[in-house]
Amino acid sequence: MSLESKFSSKDRGRRRPRLRGLALSGLAALLLPAALTGAQARARENLAIAAPFEVGESPAGNYLAALVAGAERDTMAAATFFREALRFDPRNPRLIERAFVAAVSNGNMPEAFGLANRLIAREPDNSLAHLALGVEAIKAKKFAAARAHFAKGGAGQQRDITATLLTAWSYEGEGNSRRAIELVDRLRDENFAVFRDYHAGLIAMIANNTAEATRRMKAAYEADKNTLRLVDAYARFLARSGRRDEAIKAYEAFDQILPNHPIIAAAQADLKAGKALDPLVKDPEQGAAEVLYGLGAAGGRQGDELAAMIYLRLSLYLAPQNGLAVITLGDIYERIKQNEQAIDVYALVRENDPLRTTADIQTGLILETLGRPEEAANYLKRIVDEHPKDEDALSALGNLQRAHKQYAEAIETYSRALSQPSKSEKPNWPLYYFRGISYEREKKWPQAEADFKEALKLFPDQPLVLNYLGYSWVDKGLNLDEAFAMLHRAVELHPTDGYIVDSLGWANYKLGRYDEAVKELERAIDLKASDPVINDHLGDAYWRVGRKLEAHFQWNHARDLDPEPEDKVKILRKIDQGLDEEENPAAAEADPKRNGG
C-alpha cells in the first residue's frame, strides 16, 4: 500500500488540506491482480444522492446528452440516454453499440446481453459483443457456445490473452482439464508467464491434479510474491493441501510487504483458529471471472477506465462474491469523480467480507468529498464505534477531524490508533506525522516535535516529515544546520514537489537569504503555478530583492487563486501598501501551520 496515498496532496507540503483527495486509500494495494443482487449486499441506507437528470422528448437531445454523459464516464446517465435515443432509431448499429457499451459498463447485464445480440446481428465480428455473450454462456454453463463466441471475437490469435484464457476455462467447465491447460500454455510470451502459471494452477486445482497445481502455483508465486491475489490463492492451496505452516509463512511474508491487509489478516486468523480456508476459485465460472478481474484491475491501474469497468462488470456477473472486484470498481468511479455511483458500488461488498470496513471507510470519505462533512464525520464515527481497534478507520476519522481543524479531537483519535497493537511499526509513521501536525496546530510544540522525530525513526528520510520538521525548526530559529539539511534532503527526494521546494525557498526567506529564496520559489512556481501560497511567497521574495513590479504581479495572482480568508486579508494589504522594510516576512506571518496538514 502506498502510504502517500493515505493523505491529500495538500499535506505533501505546507498546506491546509482541502478534503478533496483525503482518502485513506488502501485501494492501491487492493488493485493487485487477478451485478451483485440486493439480497447479497448488506442492507444499508442509500447514501448516494445522484444529480438529477431528465430524459427529453428529442432524440437528438437524448443522443447528445448520452455522448456528454459517456465522455464524463457517468455510466448511469449514459445508459439511460442511449436507451432512449435507441427507441427512436432502433436499427442504427453505432447507436446499438454505444448503448451496449453504456449498459455493460453500468452493470445492466440483461439489457447489455440483449443489445449484444442485436449488435452482432448487424456486425457479426464485434469482439466486445461476443465477449459479453461468451461470458453469459459460461454463466449458463453452455461452454461450447461460449467458445464459439470467443472464437468469433478473435480468439484464434495465440497472444489474445482474454480469449485464450476464457476458452481454457470453458474446456475446464466440460471437465477437459488437459485441453484447458494446453490452451493456457499457448501464452508463450514471457510477459504472460505468471498469468499463465497462475491460471494453469487454478485449473489443475479444480481438476484435483495436485502435482500439476503444486508445480504451477509455486512457479507463479516464486515469480511474483508481491501480488495479493496470487499470494492468497497460493496460501489457500497450501493450507488445503495440508501444508498449513507453509501457508502461514506465505501470508507472513506478504504481511511484511503490505502489513495488516484485511484479506491477509482474516485468512491468518482463520488458520490460527484451525478453520479451513476456501479455495480462491471453486469452479470454471469463478475461474473465468478471475481472468476478467485481473484484466479489469490492470486496466484500471493503467488509466483505461472504460475497459476496466467493462471487464469488472463481466467478472462480477460471474462471481458477485469477489469483494476485491467490487472495491476496484468503486475506486475507478471515485477516480473519474462519479462519487455517487462509487457509493452505490461500495455498498455491494458483502457484510461478512473482510473488505466491508474498507468499503465503509471509502464511503465516509466520499461523503466529505461531496460536501457533506457532518454526515461524513458521523459515518466514520459509526465505523469506529463498530470497529474500535481498526487502525484505518481511526486514521480516516483523525484525518477528517484534522482537516476541519478539530485538532484536539484528531489528537485523541490518532492516539487511539497508535495504541492498537501492530505487527509492523513502519506503517505507523503517518499516524505520528499527522498527530504531530495536530499537536503543532494546538501550539503544543514539544509533543509535535517528539512525534515528528518518532516518525523519522520509523521511516528515515521520509520527505514529508523532513519537510515539516525542518521548516518548523527554521521558523523557530532552532537547529538551523540540521533543519536546512532536512529541507535539502526532502527536495532531493522529491525534486518535483512544488510544496516541498516552496518550503526550502520560504525557509531561506525567513533567514533573510532572499536571493536563494527567489531561486527556490521560482522553481516551486514552475512546479505548482496555481497555488496561492507559493505565489504569495514569491511576491514577498521579489519585494525583498527590489523587484517590486513582479512582487505586485505575484500577489495579484495569489489573490485570484482563492487563498485562505486570513491569507487574503494579508495579500490585499500588501497589494495596497507593499511590505514594510522593518517588519518580519509577512506572507505567512511566521506561521508554521502551513508546513503540512
Side-chain angles (χ1 to χ4, degrees), residues 9 15 71 151 167 198 206 409 493 554:
S9 62
R15 299 287 152 297
T167 300
Y198 177 54
I206 292 176
E409 293 89 339
L493 292 166
Q554 295 301 147

Side-chain angles (χ1 to χ4, degrees), residues 442-476:
E442 284 286 285
K443 302 188 185 304
K444 297 180 178 179
W445 176 247
Q447 294 95 320
E449 185 179 44
D451 273 355
F452 296 141
K453 288 181 176 180
E454 187 63 28
L456 287 176
K457 284 183 185 177
L458 297 171
F459 195 157
D461 271 359
Q462 212 304 317
L464 296 170
V465 187
L466 291 171
N467 175 56
Y468 202 117
L469 180 56
Y471 177 86
S472 298
W473 274 345
V474 169
D475 187 72
K476 296 175 183 298

Side-chain angles (χ1 to χ4, degrees), residues 259-548:
N260 304 321
H261 191 285
I263 288 178
I264 301 299
Q268 287 176 308
D270 284 345
L271 281 177
K272 290 176 182 177
K275 296 180 181 178
L277 297 182
D278 290 333
L280 193 69
V281 170
K282 297 180 181 179
D283 54 44
E285 283 179 47
Q286 291 183 12
E290 189 71 8
V291 174
L292 295 163
Y293 164 68
L295 294 167
R301 289 196 304 278
Q302 294 166 4
D304 192 352
E305 287 88 5
L306 182 59
M309 285 190 285
I310 289 171
Y311 280 127
L312 291 167
R313 291 292 192 182
L314 291 171
S315 177
L316 286 166
Y317 173 73
L318 292 174
Q321 78 285 348
N322 185 351
L324 274 176
V326 178
I327 291 288
T328 304
L329 183 60
D331 179 61
I332 290 173
Y333 274 117
E334 276 195 78
R335 284 191 280 117
I336 61 176
K337 302 186 187 308
Q338 294 297 327
N339 291 306
E340 293 86 356
Q341 288 183 266
I343 289 176
D344 287 339
V345 169
Y346 287 135
L348 300 176
V349 177
R350 298 178 179 215
E351 181 67 22
N352 62 350
D353 194 298
L355 297 174
R356 179 64 260 167
T357 302
T358 298
D360 281 337
I361 291 170
Q362 291 305 123
T363 297
L365 296 173
I366 293 173
L367 291 172
E368 171 63 33
T369 302
L370 290 171
R372 296 154 67 179
E374 184 175 351
E375 194 173 354
N378 290 335
Y379 194 83
L380 289 174
K381 286 176 182 176
R382 178 183 65 76
I383 298 170
V384 168
D385 289 342
E386 292 177 358
H387 306 280
K389 296 183 178 181
D390 190 288
E391 185 178 302
D392 283 347
L394 287 164
S395 184
L397 178 59
N399 288 347
L400 195 70
Q401 292 166 332
R402 176 173 53 84
H404 285 286
K405 302 182 181 180
Q406 299 166 352
Y407 302 120
E409 293 89 339
I411 289 168
E412 181 182 355
T413 302
Y414 291 135
S415 296
R416 286 178 60 188
L418 286 165
S419 71
Q420 304 306 318
S422 178
K423 296 177 182 177
S424 172
E425 287 186 320
K426 191 169 184 178
N428 283 340
W429 77 261
L431 295 174
Y432 283 108
Y433 173 63
F434 292 142
R435 190 175 69 173
I437 292 172
S438 303
Y439 274 131
E440 185 270 327
R441 298 297 175 84
E442 284 286 285
K443 302 188 185 304
K444 297 180 178 179
W445 176 247
Q447 294 95 320
E449 185 179 44
D451 273 355
F452 296 141
K453 288 181 176 180
E454 187 63 28
L456 287 176
K457 284 183 185 177
L458 297 171
F459 195 157
D461 271 359
Q462 212 304 317
L464 296 170
V465 187
L466 291 171
N467 175 56
Y468 202 117
L469 180 56
Y471 177 86
S472 298
W473 274 345
V474 169
D475 187 72
K476 296 175 183 298
L478 302 171
N479 308 317
L480 293 181
D481 289 341
E482 187 177 358
F484 265 90
M486 284 182 171
L487 291 173
H488 279 289
R489 180 59 176 156
V491 170
E492 180 183 332
L493 292 166
H494 275 194
T496 60
D497 189 319
Y499 299 132
I500 292 179
V501 175
D502 175 53
S503 289
L504 179 58
W506 192 240
N508 278 298
Y509 179 90
K510 294 291 291 180
L511 294 183
R513 303 172 182 174
Y514 300 128
D515 289 331
E516 281 298 311
V518 167
K519 177 182 174 183
E520 297 297 341
L521 291 170
E522 285 179 337
R523 283 183 58 208
I525 284 288
D526 287 340
L527 294 166
K528 206 72 179 176
S530 61
D531 185 81
V533 176
I534 300 176
N535 279 275
D536 189 18
H537 285 174
L538 181 57
D540 288 10
Y542 279 155
W543 183 276
R544 295 298 184 194
V545 296
R547 296 163 65 178
K548 295 187 177 181

Side-chain angles (χ1 to χ4, degrees), residues 138 143-144 146-147 150 165-175 284:
I138 284 181
F143 299 112
R147 285 197 296 278
F150 299 143
L165 290 176
L166 290 176
T167 300
W169 278 107
S170 76
Y171 279 114
E172 176 57 31
E174 294 174 339

Side-chain angles (χ1 to χ4, degrees), residues 217-225 230 234:
M217 292 302 292
K218 183 177 181 180
Y221 174 73
E222 292 295 335
D224 183 1
K225 297 181 180 180
L230 193 157
Y234 180 59

Side-chain angles (χ1 to χ4, degrees), residues 53-169:
F53 56 86
E54 294 183 5
V55 176
E57 294 296 325
S58 164
N62 286 329
Y63 178 70
L64 289 174
L67 292 179
V68 171
E72 294 178 349
R73 296 291 189 261
D74 185 344
T75 57
M76 182 179 296
T80 302
F81 284 120
F82 275 125
R83 185 189 307 122
E84 289 301 311
L86 193 59
R87 288 176 54 213
F88 293 91
D89 193 3
R91 298 180 183 278
N92 186 323
R94 294 279 70 77
L95 195 53
I96 294 171
E97 183 174 36
R98 289 179 179 272
F100 159 65
V101 169
V104 70
S105 61
N106 196 48
N108 305 344
M109 303 315 294
E111 180 180 348
F113 295 139
L115 289 167
N117 277 307
R118 291 170 63 180
L119 183 57
I120 62 172
R122 290 163 176 79
E123 290 188 0
D125 295 327
N126 189 287
S127 295
L128 185 56
H130 279 297
L131 172 64
L133 293 173
V135 168
E136 182 188 33
I138 284 181
K139 181 77 168 180
K141 302 187 188 307
K142 298 178 180 179
F143 299 112
R147 285 197 296 278
H149 282 297
F150 299 143
K152 291 176 183 176
Q157 300 175 9
Q158 285 189 355
R159 296 169 67 89
D160 184 346
I161 189 170
T162 308
T164 298
L165 290 176
L166 290 176
T167 300
W169 278 107

